[in-house]
Amino acid sequence: MKITIFGAGAIGGYLAAKLALAGRTELAIVARGAHLDEIKAGGLRLIEDGQETAAPVRAATKAEELGAQDYVILALKAHSVAPALDQIAPLLGDDTAVVTMQNGVPWWYFHGLGGPLEGTRLETVDPGGAIWQRIGPRRVIGSVVYPAVEVDAPGLIRHVEGKRFSLGEPSGEKSERVTRLAEEMVKAGLQAPVREDIRSEIWVKLWGNLSFNPISALTGSTLAAIVADDGTRALARAMMLEAQAIGEALGVRFPIAVDRRIKGAGDVGEHKTSMLQDLERGRPMEIDALVCAVQELGRLTDKPTPAIDAVSALVRRLARERGCYG
């Protein structure tokens, strides 16, 4: 089985290291800079359970070096996929499956869903439909990513907690390709449940990211602080209820109550969200996939989003001022 992981940051690096250490697949990553140099020199190093291991991973600067793959795992952030399409293209053969590991509303959301919105392309996450046209939704295996992982230094990945990567076909079928990939991930020591309704799981994670990420960026607060404060907790709850109405209009099942989801976020503790970390480090922020895409879905379903709209305007203004939003 030939697998290439495109985007060898924290999540991509962790997944690459686990698969490489299992030694069952022909694995490669596309990387660059000091990260690439370190991997070529000494392997991809992983710190897990207090132990450091070097995984022998083939690293390439250009996808042309690797050729067509059985699976391409996109571990980029959502806003980085479209600019990378030319680099991804050489990895795609006739039967290549593409696993999307982005947070937020995926560009393929309305592929295989059925109903009046079938085939709708979301401008907020796929401007002009470029990803839909170049990759094609028929290739897609959806994924929801849960591990907490950090890049401690070039070529060095540190696993904090969690091993679950939920997988699912947009159609809901348990296809041979998704089953085979799940089996390989499990044999590498990961959890890879195959879901019949990957969209509902996407929404449960999005529920928190939509609200806590931008509020965190606007206030500089951790998850615990947002939940402990009456005002910010109420604002997050209002955003989540607006999102729930949209999701349910699209047929999504929310398996937990909103207040339980909020409590779960608070229980994480003094954790800075990824959006706040990106703001502090001057990196592009995932506003479109996490916030603006929900606004677009609200318009498509005729569901009002006043709280989301207000927070979206504020966080986009802040991000533009800091050079973190195009």
Side-chain angles (χ1 to χ4, degrees):
M1 183 185 293
K2 297 178 68 175
I3 300 176
T4 287
I5 297 175
F6 197 102
I11 289 296
Y14 173 60
L15 182 56
K18 294 295 285 184
L19 289 170
L21 288 169
R24 294 176 48 87
T25 62
E26 186 178 330
L27 182 80
I29 61 172
V30 177
R32 61 184 179 181
H35 202 49
L36 174 70
D37 295 339
E38 288 295 326
I39 294 168
K40 284 188 170 182
L44 180 58
R45 292 175 293 144
L46 173 65
I47 299 173
E48 188 174 32
D49 299 326
Q51 301 289 323
E52 181 175 323
T53 310
V57 176
R58 181 182 180 188
T61 310
K62 297 180 180 179
E64 290 92 334
E65 302 172 34
L66 304 174
Q69 303 290 300
D70 296 312
Y71 296 89
V72 174
I73 296 174
L74 297 182
L76 305 165
K77 290 190 174 182
H79 52 257
S80 298
V81 176
L85 287 172
D86 286 344
Q87 301 170 61
I88 295 167
L91 300 172
L92 305 180
D94 291 342
D95 298 315
T96 303
V98 174
V99 185
T100 58
M101 290 191 170
Q102 288 70 55
N103 284 324
V105 180
W107 57 269
W108 51 262
Y109 191 90
F110 289 108
H111 170 70
L113 184 62
L117 292 174
E118 172 67 33
T120 298
R121 305 179 190 190
L122 295 169
E123 192 66 20
T124 46
V125 290
D126 186 15
I131 306 173
W132 188 291
Q133 293 168 14
R134 296 284 300 278
I135 292 180
R138 69 174 180 81
R139 295 186 186 277
V140 165
I141 295 172
S143 179
V144 183
V145 174
Y146 294 96
V149 193
E150 297 180 3
V151 178
D152 277 2
L156 178 62
I157 307 296
R158 180 167 58 87
H159 176 253
V160 179
E161 64 175 358
K163 295 185 177 184
R164 177 155 56 103
F165 294 78
S166 294
L167 303 172
E169 292 276 3
S171 65
E173 67 175 313
K174 289 198 172 182
S175 65
E176 180 184 356
R177 66 180 189 175
V178 73
T179 302
R180 286 183 64 212
L181 179 61
E183 289 172 351
E184 292 302 326
M185 291 174 68
V186 168
K187 288 171 182 174
L190 302 168
Q191 298 168 0
V194 177
R195 305 300 194 193
E196 294 182 1
D197 182 12
I198 194 68
R199 289 179 183 83
S200 289
E201 195 160 335
I202 287 171
W203 270 94
V204 171
K205 187 175 183 185
L206 172 62
W207 220 9
N209 284 338
L210 156 80
S211 52
F212 292 109
N213 268 271
I215 292 172
S216 177
L218 288 166
T219 62
S221 300
T222 64
L223 288 173
I226 292 169
V227 172
D229 181 89
D230 290 344
T232 50
R233 184 178 66 250
L235 178 57
R237 190 175 192 274
M239 296 174 72
M240 293 169 76
L241 289 175
E242 290 174 4
Q244 183 173 354
I246 296 166
E248 289 175 345
L250 293 169
V252 172
R253 301 186 303 274
F254 288 81
I256 63 174
V258 65
D259 291 317
R260 183 179 168 194
R261 180 68 177 85
I262 291 170
K263 181 182 183 302
D267 288 345
V268 174
E270 301 301 330
H271 171 71
K272 291 184 178 182
T273 69
S274 60
M275 194 177 286
L276 174 56
Q277 292 180 50
D278 286 342
L279 178 69
E280 290 179 340
R281 296 170 185 174
R283 300 186 304 212
M285 294 160 64
E286 294 180 284
I287 297 172
D288 288 338
L290 298 184
V291 184
C292 299
V294 179
Q295 294 176 278
E296 185 174 359
L297 291 176
R299 293 189 293 271
L300 289 170
T301 55
D302 293 322
K303 299 295 181 183
T305 54
I308 296 172
D309 293 345
V311 170
S312 174
L314 291 171
V315 77
R316 283 185 287 125
R317 180 69 263 153
L318 172 64
R320 286 193 180 103
E321 292 287 348
R322 300 285 185 86
C324 298
Y325 186 67

